[in-house]
Amino acid sequence: MANVVIVGAQWGDEGKGKIVDLLTRYADIAVRFQGGNNAGHTIVLKGEKFVFHLVPSGILYENKKCMIGSGVVVDPAVLIEEITELKKRGYLKDDSQLMVSEEAHLILPYHRRIDIARDRVFKIGTTGRGIGPAYEDKAARYGIRMVDLMDEEAFRKKLKANLLQKNLYLSEVLKEEPFEFSEIYDEYLRYKNQIQKYVKDTSRILYEEIQKGSHVLFEGAQGALLDLDHGTYPYVTASNTVSGNACAGSGIGPTMIDSVVGVAKAYTTRVGEGPFPTELKDQIGERIREKGGEYGATTGRPRRCGWFDAVIVNHAIRINDIREMAITKLDVLDDFDRVKICVGYRLNGKVLQHVPSNLGMLENCEPVYEELDGWRREVKEAKQISDLPVQAQNYLKRIEALVRVKITMVSVGSERNETIEVKNPFQNFK
């Protein structure tokens, strides 16, 4: 038995989908444990592009089970759309391959409307998908769960009660249009009929599978610096993105986790508002954006781009207990004469090696850079580290030394086979 958690070690968009897709071949089950359809995991397989927002990235393997855990907030319309698209493209032939936790909370239309209206004022940079308001209802204990949707009378009572306060808030505070009960109720009952075969007691099933010796891969969404508690608050997501939440968000105990793999790009990106010390607001940043296709898989928004930041990756390693690293998109830096790594922050004459919790301080931090030679050659044909240009090897070695964690995977292109695998994180447990 081996249970491995995959987490983002930056501000999300690190290429976790590809890493999960690759590592699912060693696992029996892939589990998504937090977030909602504000996440977008992109996989390229034989030239075909797949973007997953809710379904775990491991779904492209026929013989693997995929679970959406209780820590995920689910928009049924998006889930149905993904399932329909998968089936149309020849995947998910067996419906038993996908399971959705009966304890997962629903995103409802009023969540989306509230989300968009509030962001006009607070300007957090939300995706407008209703994720935050859905988690708020969960914490306030009047959220509506999948198990409620499966019971029409329970759903009716909870939706009526919620609409009393939601409509008042929408019309009186946000000056938005309220909702009619029937438009939501009827719509969601149609969703129920399409998804009820996937709704299961996933926590119990997962526990039983682990007891039988199954290997499980836990898939996080977003990145460590977007964690609700440990990220650059308030410019964060509405859930805990760190590895510790793999347990709470899937319904197993902490002693069942064997290892944590952190994923980071060979540079850094961020979507939305918030401090970003290594951001490049120049032609270099634009080159990285265009070469890396740095536009949000969920929203299409251009991502802010900058050099690799070892300070934030070390922060991620500490709060996740990351044991090994996967570096993605090394090929994006192929065309640079020189590349830089941020090794510290200069603030008021001092050099910091940590991420300040005070955002005012973080916004005023200047990156301290080390500069290395670029490689000016394509790396996508490399099958092992020694195949890389020596300058690219030196770049990876320097990152490894700064973060003090072994790099065990390097993505050198978008395709599944364009990856250097130094070590399989499941191998020590087989």
Side-chain angles (χ1 to χ4, degrees):
M1 179 194 77
N3 302 315
V4 176
V5 184
I6 305 291
V7 293
Q10 295 162 317
W11 277 290
D13 309 307
E14 300 95 347
K16 295 181 296 298
K18 178 181 179 181
I19 302 303
V20 170
D21 171 62
L22 279 163
L23 294 182
T24 300
R25 62 185 166 182
Y26 305 120
D28 301 297
I29 305 168
V31 183
R32 169 79 181 275
F33 63 83
Q34 51 76 220
N37 60 300
N38 54 338
H41 292 172
T42 303
I43 297 167
V44 178
L45 180 59
K46 297 177 182 176
E48 200 174 355
K49 184 178 178 181
F50 298 83
V51 180
F52 299 113
H53 301 285
L54 285 171
V55 176
S57 303
I59 199 71
L60 299 181
Y61 292 85
E62 284 188 16
N63 60 338
K64 309 294 182 179
K65 301 287 187 183
C66 288
M67 292 182 178
I68 297 173
S70 60
V72 179
V73 287
V74 179
D75 186 324
V78 174
L79 178 59
I80 291 165
E81 183 181 346
E82 287 192 26
I83 290 170
T84 302
E85 181 66 16
L86 277 165
K87 287 178 175 289
K88 189 168 80 174
R89 296 168 77 172
Y91 295 89
L92 193 54
K93 295 172 184 175
D94 179 0
D95 284 323
S96 69
Q97 187 184 356
L98 178 64
M99 290 169 267
V100 183
S101 172
E102 61 187 12
E103 297 176 323
H105 282 246
L106 297 174
I107 295 172
L108 289 120
Y110 49 74
H111 292 135
R112 293 191 295 271
R113 192 168 292 177
I114 289 169
D115 200 6
I116 292 167
R118 286 199 309 213
D119 202 54
R120 294 192 195 109
V121 177
F122 295 106
K123 301 188 186 306
I124 298 297
T126 173
T127 60
R129 301 300 197 267
I131 311 301
Y135 275 117
E136 288 173 35
D137 281 5
K138 178 178 179 176
R141 292 167 295 183
Y142 45 73
I144 299 177
R145 302 184 298 170
M146 275 289 177
V147 70
D148 301 316
L149 181 60
M150 298 302 111
D151 180 336
E152 292 184 20
E153 188 55 34
F155 181 59
R156 180 191 300 274
K157 288 179 180 177
K158 291 195 173 189
L159 181 59
K160 274 190 174 179
N162 278 6
L163 277 178
L164 286 175
Q165 57 160 311
K166 299 302 180 187
N167 279 341
L168 187 65
Y169 180 58
L170 281 164
S171 58
E172 299 299 321
V173 178
L174 298 177
K175 308 303 180 187
E176 296 284 334
E177 286 293 315
F179 287 92
E180 291 289 336
F181 169 81
S182 60
E183 65 178 304
I184 298 177
Y185 183 74
D186 293 344
E187 177 187 359
Y188 273 62
L189 285 191
R190 290 195 298 272
Y191 295 154
K192 172 207 167 184
N193 294 332
Q194 294 179 74
I195 63 175
Q196 58 185 346
K197 60 188 169 186
Y198 302 106
V199 178
K200 309 287 182 185
D201 183 355
T202 55
S203 172
R204 178 182 57 80
I205 295 169
L206 185 59
Y207 178 82
E208 290 172 354
E209 287 289 338
I210 291 172
Q211 295 305 305
K212 288 193 295 187
S214 294
H215 301 297
V216 183
L217 189 65
F218 295 89
E219 173 184 358
Q222 291 94 28
L225 275 292
L226 292 178
D227 184 89
L228 184 59
D229 290 303
H230 306 291
T232 49
Y233 188 90
Y235 302 104
V236 293
T237 194
S239 61
N240 288 110
T241 61
V242 292
S243 60
N245 195 31
C247 299
S250 59
I252 62 163
T255 58
M256 292 182 175
I257 301 300
D258 296 299
S259 187
V260 181
V261 177
V263 184
K265 281 175 180 161
Y267 47 96
T268 310
T269 63
R270 176 164 202 170
V271 172
E273 304 298 322
F276 183 0
T278 67
E279 183 175 10
L280 295 166
K281 300 179 181 179
D282 57 14
Q283 289 183 337
I284 293 176
E286 185 61 31
R287 281 175 64 193
I288 292 173
R289 182 181 300 111
E290 292 307 313
K291 179 75 184 295
E294 296 298 349
Y295 296 88
T298 299
T299 63
R301 289 183 295 181
R303 296 178 185 138
R304 300 153 65 190
C305 299
W307 295 117
F308 186 91
D309 188 339
V311 181
I312 67 163
V313 173
N314 273 314
H315 177 83
I317 287 168
R318 175 174 59 81
I319 62 177
N320 287 286
D321 190 26
I322 290 171
R323 304 295 178 87
E324 49 194 272
M325 290 292 302
I327 299 295
T328 63
K329 292 199 166 186
L330 184 68
D331 54 303
V332 174
L333 300 182
D334 282 353
D335 299 331
F336 289 89
D337 293 314
R338 305 285 285 172
V339 289
K340 294 182 181 181
I341 299 174
C342 174
V343 298
Y345 299 152
R346 184 171 286 107
L347 180 67
N348 300 327
K350 295 182 179 178
V351 175
L352 306 179
Q353 300 296 334
H354 67 279
V355 179
S357 298
N358 183 311
L359 284 202
M361 292 173 63
L362 185 56
E363 286 167 350
N364 288 308
C365 283
E366 295 180 8
V368 178
Y369 286 121
E370 284 187 9
E371 196 166 322
L372 293 84
D373 289 331
W375 40 97
R376 300 290 296 178
R377 277 172 49 198
E378 283 194 355
V379 298
K380 66 186 302 181
E381 299 299 326
K383 301 301 179 189
Q384 51 192 8
I385 296 292
S386 58
D387 294 336
L388 294 170
V390 66
Q391 297 90 342
Q393 293 182 48
N394 290 339
Y395 184 69
L396 294 174
K397 285 176 184 175
R398 187 56 186 143
I399 289 174
E400 205 171 54
L402 288 165
V403 302
R404 300 182 297 281
V405 171
K406 280 285 184 186
I407 294 171
T408 57
M409 295 182 75
V410 181
S411 174
V412 293
S414 58
E415 285 279 359
R416 181 187 279 174
N417 63 355
E418 293 174 338
T419 310
I420 299 169
E421 290 188 67
V422 179
K423 174 180 168 290
N424 162 14
F426 288 91
Q427 68 186 16
N428 294 336
F429 304 98
K430 285 192 177 287

